[in-house]
Amino acid sequence: DAKTTQPPSMDCAEGRAANLPCNHSTISGNEYVYWYRQIHSQGPQYIIHGLKNNETNEMASLIITEDRKSSTLILPHATLRDTAVYYCIVRPLGAGGTSYGKLTFGQGTILTVHP
Amino acid sequence: DAGVTQSPTHLIKTRGQQVTLRCSPISGHKSVSWYQQVLGQGPQFIFQYYEKEERGRGNFPDRFSARQFPNYSSELNVNALLLGDSALYLCASSPRGPSSYEQYFGPGTRLTVT
């Protein structure tokens, strides 16, 4: 799986947009970008995923650059409950083989939302 | 609907002992994965089971083993515990096949080895 690089920490004011970057310059053509987050003392939570088009769901938006070497997770109106560690993961969607269900988590970005 | 459940919540064991952790997936989910999360690190993949068969194994010693039951619940066993096995053990279930990206995690079991 391609390696990802994320800033170790970020701050955001409550109500403002939180933009979390992820670099994945070695991403392959069949690899998707996934985002998970882990709130303190809980298991990780799936947020969103994408291949090359921008994606949006009820939790967040995912912007992937045209060359797919980086992406940004956007929380449009951050709340205190969004304070968590955010993980950017790159892996193939499926097709079995050695990819199976393994998620490779890095260090992630600690997002702190301030009042 | 109930999410992924794990038991026990916390556990304290002594070096050399054996431990069994349990996981019940979301109803209808046939795939279960186990992860180890050491303090300050991201979760590390241990095993995945789908339809009662092992489909993936991470870089963990043979002291770690797991199995999945006909009702899709799963157990993780760790033998000959070491201090370094102290961690949060997470279980995740998936609604689709073994390569599904969409995994739902339980709250974890906090294991402390003294």
Side-chain angles (χ1 to χ4, degrees):
Chain A
D1 297 349
K3 183 178 177 179
T4 61
T5 303
Q6 300 177 252
S9 64
M10 295 184 66
D11 292 324
C12 179
E14 189 176 21
R16 305 297 294 270
N19 298 285
L20 293 97
C22 179
N23 182 286
H24 32 78
S25 58
T26 60
I27 192 170
S28 300
N30 68 335
E31 290 182 314
Y32 284 65
V33 180
Y34 304 86
W35 284 84
Y36 277 74
R37 73 178 182 183
Q38 187 172 23
I39 296 171
H40 184 62
S41 298
Q42 298 182 21
Q45 176 190 25
Y46 165 78
I47 301 173
I48 198 169
H49 79 287
L51 180 63
K52 54 182 178 181
N53 298 317
N54 297 338
E55 302 288 344
T56 296
N57 63 19
E58 64 278 5
M59 290 183 67
S61 294
L62 174 60
I63 307 299
I64 303 173
T65 59
E66 192 169 342
D67 63 7
R68 303 209 323 121
K69 294 183 184 300
S70 65
S71 60
T72 301
L73 179 74
I74 300 172
L75 308 178
H77 305 286
T79 70
L80 299 179
R81 287 176 292 182
D82 292 322
T83 293
V85 180
Y86 286 78
Y87 296 100
C88 170
I89 299 169
V90 174
R91 54 151 288 179
L93 177 64
T98 59
S99 62
Y100 36 90
K102 173 184 177 182
L103 293 173
T104 302
F105 292 84
Q107 296 282 76
T109 295
I110 301 173
L111 174 68
T112 304
V113 181
H114 298 284
Chain B
D1 288 341
V4 176
T5 59
Q6 295 185 243
S7 64
T9 305
H10 296 86
L11 201 54
I12 300 174
K13 289 287 189 177
T14 303
R15 276 179 298 176
Q17 287 188 315
Q18 175 265 340
V19 68
T20 298
L21 311 181
R22 296 176 176 82
C23 171
S24 292
I26 293 172
S27 178
H29 289 195
K30 300 179 180 180
S31 176
V32 170
S33 298
W34 287 94
Y35 292 80
Q36 180 196 64
Q37 186 172 25
V38 175
L39 195 63
Q41 309 263 337
Q44 298 298 305
F45 175 79
I46 309 175
F47 286 112
Q48 187 201 33
Y49 277 77
Y50 178 71
E51 290 280 18
K52 302 181 288 296
E53 291 188 4
E54 181 183 304
R55 301 300 294 264
R57 173 185 286 254
N59 188 24
F60 280 81
D62 292 342
R63 299 185 296 108
F64 289 76
S65 63
R67 56 179 174 169
Q68 187 176 33
F69 298 98
N71 65 354
Y72 303 110
S73 68
S74 178
E75 287 182 351
L76 175 70
N77 296 285
V78 186
N79 294 321
L81 284 167
L82 303 174
L83 295 179
D85 296 330
S86 295
L88 180 68
Y89 288 85
L90 294 159
C91 173
S93 72
S94 300
R96 298 177 181 85
S99 54
S100 173
Y101 62 85
E102 191 177 351
Q103 298 190 17
Y104 297 83
F105 284 80
T109 293
R110 174 71 63 186
L111 173 65
T112 301
V113 182
T114 63

